[in-house]
Amino acid sequence: MMHDLRLKIKLYIKENLYKDAAFYTPYIWLVVFLALPLLIIFKISFTQATIALPPLTDILESTNDGIFQFTISLKNYITIFTDKFYLDAFASSIALALISTFITLCLGYMMAYGIYKADEKHQYIFLLLVMLPFWTSFLVRVYAWMNMLSGSGILNQILLSLNLIASPLHMLDNAYAVCLGIVYCYLPFMVLPIYTSLDKIDESYSEAAFDLGATPIRTFWNIVIPLSKPGIYTGCILVFMPAIGEFVIPELLGGPETLTIGRALWWEFFNNRDWPLACALGFTIVLTLVIPVMIFQRKQKID
Amino acid sequence: MAPRIIHRSKQLEPWQDSTIAPYIEIDELGKSFGPVQVVKDVSLSIYKGEFFSLLGGSGCGKTTLLRMLAGFEQPTHGHIYIDGIDVTNVPAYKRPVNMMFQSYALFPHMTVYQNIAFGLQQDNFSKIQIYERVMDALRLVRMEHFVDRKPHQMSGGQRQRVALARSLAKRPKLLLLDEPLAALDKNLREQTQFELVNIQERLGVTFIMVTHDQEEAMTMSTRMAIMDEGTIRQIGAPHDIYEYPQSRYVAEFIGSMNIIEGVVSEQTDDYVEIDSPELEGIKLRVTDSPILPIGTLVAVAIRPEKVKISLKEPKNKDTNCVKGIIKEIAYLGDMSVYYVEVPSGDIMQAALPNLLRLAERDVKWDDEVYLTWGAENSIILSS
């Protein structure tokens, strides 16, 4: 009997383990690095800040006489949804992300279309150029923009030397600079999916549209853009999601009045040491992002 | 196998009538892709109401020629006239020409109705006019119940019909068809051939079809052009091309053909006599022949179905006769093709209808037989 069992286990390992491991690895990854941290954040968001290590109260407390106390605090969520500060942060983050995504979409579509229409020989060079910024760190690139936009930066120097302006322009530390930074950093994430879906469109659709009397512009609007929708959706999601919770770009390029939810979270966590409120904010961001993804998925199913 | 030809209700032969001006004129049209000349100085006249086929193997330039007519390719030189107007430099979306694509190219994000309406919307028709025209086009192909379907919800045959309806909805002067039936299975293809011809006859629209399927071209066209390496080898009605190929290429391309080489030895008012050294000096007579000087090297071509097989030597000296041994019998159902080895060592084919069942026939493998054909049934190919 023992021998049989051992054989069976050996056989299982030989036949199924690797296959099963390959199948379950992504799930294990998601559970360990996504679901568990989210659960921890979720739990902390129902506690309250206190002076302790870690700086929060426990949900389950035992008193000396064997009584367990289960405390759930909704205070953090109430604060978030009633305090104007957080509501403003959410509103401005969403607005900033929407505007940046729209600008990225317009620019990205033009670039993707240009690459798609270019000679096949040159397409790979252009695609490589689109991805080239990834070779340097994200942070370094944002710092580079800081440098360029600052009062003594290269842009102001050029404008001054051309006598176009009398004194340096104040280009840094405002919402425009943040928008510029987001558009710049996330442009490749828009260009690549749109290019991919343009590349998949059969040439004969455009030819059929021409053949039926549609001008190139009409063909573009009525045939090419609708057929590249999957790329547009993917690109918008890939830009909108990180843009909404963006911290580094608003911190470096935005002024103190450029309020975003990412910055609010940072302040709560590191400056106020209010972990529960920061966690509640974080969880709210996650929920906010789930909505566009769900809309996207439904839209894809319909198409 | 002899092709079937759809007999048209009216015999249209405008190319015979010198008073009728051609509707589409292709003048010395050429197209090169880099150093490769795909279409070489093709000139062609097509008349109103014709069903014209461009037939040839892959890479013969037929599709490029069609795409130049549609306006998708710019010719390197030459001109295209439609109804007397030079359209060589007119962009595709301004030409009075529509095309039915091999892949159908139905817009996947639009319904059948939207697909057909798309072309009409470009011409600023009113909504009611568009509706009427779309429904007319759909009725023509009997697809009026499919207005709300999307392309992926239909079968290949249904998509083919919608594609045809879409290309006809604008009532073009010229309809181009790029392998319109290639994606259909055999039974549906034969049925659709008749329907296409019917629709074409009813509407009177000029059709130009590209195909690699000779049976399809023969069945449907009023005239066809055999293309090879960017040039047209022969233009003519299907029966003309089949019965009177002008070159060895065309003779061997269309159907099967027995070819015997020989030298002209005698020329009379009635016939030409050809001496074939290969066939132990047998003399062949051909009635239908241009005047050729004695000594000219020629090829005599005979269709397999025109060759008879007999076990006894025929007495009639007017017919041509070659002795041979049956090497192979290919049973095709409706007919059998006999492969007969003649004295030269070449194989000649004879196609006979299977009037009797296989077991009851008297001609068998390795039989010594006589192949005969009338002098009027063979032709002379000069090259």
Side-chain angles (χ1 to χ4, degrees), chain A residues 39-165:
Chain A
L39 267 176
I40 294 168
I41 288 173
F42 193 58
K43 190 211 119 191
I44 296 175
S45 73
F46 289 108
T47 62
Q48 284 180 45
T50 174
I51 299 167
L53 242 180
L56 43 94
T57 57
D58 272 329
I59 281 185
L60 202 60
E61 271 177 322
S62 66
T63 51
N64 288 334
D65 35 11
I67 297 169
F68 285 91
Q69 225 175 356
F70 191 66
T71 329
I72 285 179
S73 160
L74 293 173
K75 213 184 111 202
N76 301 315
Y77 287 99
I78 293 166
T79 311
I80 290 170
F81 287 105
T82 51
D83 194 325
K84 204 171 168 305
F85 175 78
Y86 301 107
L87 289 178
D88 282 353
F90 262 106
S92 71
S93 276
I94 290 170
L96 198 63
L98 279 176
I99 293 165
S100 310
T101 306
F102 181 73
I103 296 170
T104 317
L105 173 64
C106 295
L107 279 174
Y109 205 101
M110 281 196 277
M111 281 175 71
Y113 194 74
I115 296 169
Y116 162 67
K117 279 284 163 190
D119 257 332
E120 215 160 307
K121 281 180 284 182
H122 301 132
Q123 280 184 357
Y124 295 99
I125 297 168
F126 290 144
L127 284 174
L128 201 71
L129 287 176
V130 168
M131 288 184 276
L132 203 62
F134 289 133
W135 292 7
T136 50
S137 142
F138 172 73
L139 212 56
V140 171
R141 282 180 281 143
V142 180
Y143 268 112
W145 273 110
M146 248 175 105
N147 243 311
M148 282 196 282
L149 296 175
S150 69
S152 56
I154 190 159
L155 269 171
N156 269 321
Q157 278 178 22
I158 290 169
L159 290 173
L160 280 170
S161 65
L162 290 171
N163 280 330
L164 288 169
I165 48 170

Side-chain angles (χ1 to χ4, degrees), chain B residues 154-171:
Chain B
M154 294 187 292
S155 71
Q158 290 166 340
R159 263 179 267 175
Q160 194 261 1
R161 285 157 181 278
V162 173
L164 181 66
R166 185 177 73 173
S167 56
L168 286 169
K170 290 196 79 175
R171 300 185 189 155

Side-chain angles (χ1 to χ4, degrees), chain B residues 305-324:
Chain B
E305 71 273 13
K306 306 232 159 58
V307 178
K308 292 189 185 69
I309 295 182
S310 53
L311 287 165
K312 288 178 198 128
E313 188 164 6
K315 294 187 180 82
N316 188 355
K317 287 289 163 198
D318 286 344
T319 58
N320 297 299
C321 178
V322 176
K323 204 162 86 171

